[in-house]
Amino acid sequence: MNEKRGLLIGRIQPLHYGHMSVIEETLKEVDELIIGVGSADQSHTNSNPFTSGERVLMLSKALREYKIDPSRYYIIPLEDIACNSLWVGHVKMLTPPFRKVYSGNSLVKQLFNENHIEVVQPPLFNRKEYSGTEVRRRILNNENWEELLPKSVVKVINEIEGVKRIKNLNKKEVSEL
Ligand code: ATP
Ligand code: MG
């Protein structure tokens, strides 16, 4: 394998500046980056409001906004599976071959390491604000969420009426308590 290819996984609910920083930094280290959209089968819940297709759209628009060469990345939805012990094989089946994984998640690290694949933990940027949880919290509380996301992603969220969806999902879950 001559190409130096890396894998980065995020649920991207939604895409924020933290994701963009780690993508830009990792692209300095690898020839090609595989961006795995985690929990691709999940949507319409408080912590996973957006579909896999919507998250692919956010990524492709933001990467275009940042003028990142499309020949340098792959966007691959990764559905969850029930068996953690089989998950690395599942990911490998869906992705181009890669040498290194970039993740701070301890279970991801353990599972790849047990399969003899190196995992490095990229630094977190302004984690207090650049976090999916914080973006969703601000949307629910009518605070400034737009400043945490690339403009093209704000446009996607508006196009799919994402604010309305997040607020409706919250109402539903509260009324079901
Ligand atoms: P959530 O709060 O919904 O879990 P999140 O911000 O943790 O969202 P995820 O979609 O879960 O983002 O993706 C996690 C991955 O995204 C991390 O492993 C890391 O590589 C990257 N990431 C997320 N936030 C940042 C950040 N602020 N700086 C750098 N990388 C980040
Ligand atoms: Mg997370």
Side-chain angles (χ1 to χ4, degrees):
M1 212 193 305
N2 294 320
E3 290 281 359
K4 208 174 146 212
R5 210 174 282 121
L7 170 67
L8 188 72
I9 301 177
R11 287 177 14 263
I12 321 279
Q13 291 283 11
L15 180 75
H16 53 66
Y17 284 132
H19 295 121
M20 292 315 293
S21 303
V22 76
I23 289 170
E24 284 195 304
E25 288 306 305
T26 311
L27 276 168
K28 291 178 186 164
E29 280 186 33
V30 297
D31 297 324
E32 296 182 0
L33 184 63
I34 303 156
I35 305 166
V37 179
S39 302
D41 47 334
Q42 296 202 39
S43 75
H44 295 81
T45 67
N46 277 338
S47 50
N48 288 294
F50 302 114
T51 67
S52 167
E54 289 163 348
R55 291 177 271 157
V56 168
L57 188 62
M58 291 174 197
L59 274 164
S60 71
K61 296 289 187 196
L63 291 161
R64 190 197 289 182
E65 181 185 338
Y66 276 59
K67 298 190 169 40
I68 297 173
D69 178 356
S71 69
R72 297 201 57 211
Y73 59 81
Y74 306 85
I75 303 172
I76 313 269
L78 302 171
E79 291 179 22
D80 286 338
I81 58 167
C83 302
N84 284 339
S85 64
L86 301 178
W87 183 74
V88 169
H90 170 72
V91 170
K92 284 173 75 180
M93 174 183 74
L94 296 168
T95 51
F98 53 87
R99 281 195 193 169
K100 243 191 215 184
V101 177
Y102 295 81
S103 174
N105 182 295
S106 57
L107 179 61
V108 169
K109 185 175 163 60
Q110 180 173 5
L111 295 175
F112 277 111
N113 284 345
E114 286 180 9
N115 283 270
H116 312 288
I117 296 168
E118 189 187 349
V119 179
V120 290
Q121 178 165 0
L124 292 169
F125 304 94
N126 186 14
R127 182 61 175 162
K128 248 178 99 182
E129 295 194 305
Y130 296 164
S131 109
T133 304
E134 173 65 7
V135 176
R136 297 191 300 275
R137 188 196 67 75
R138 287 193 189 190
I139 290 178
L140 267 179
N141 292 291
N142 302 314
E143 290 173 29
N144 187 349
W145 54 274
E146 291 96 334
E147 68 178 5
L148 308 179
L149 323 181
K151 294 218 167 4
S152 51
V153 178
V154 173
K155 215 170 141 193
V156 171
I157 291 179
N158 289 334
E159 180 194 331
I160 63 178
E161 299 192 82
V163 170
K164 204 160 113 187
R165 184 184 305 166
I166 286 177
K167 290 186 174 176
N168 278 337
L169 288 167
N170 186 257
K171 261 190 244 156
K172 217 180 268 169
E173 292 196 14
V174 169
S175 69
E176 280 165 4
L177 287 178

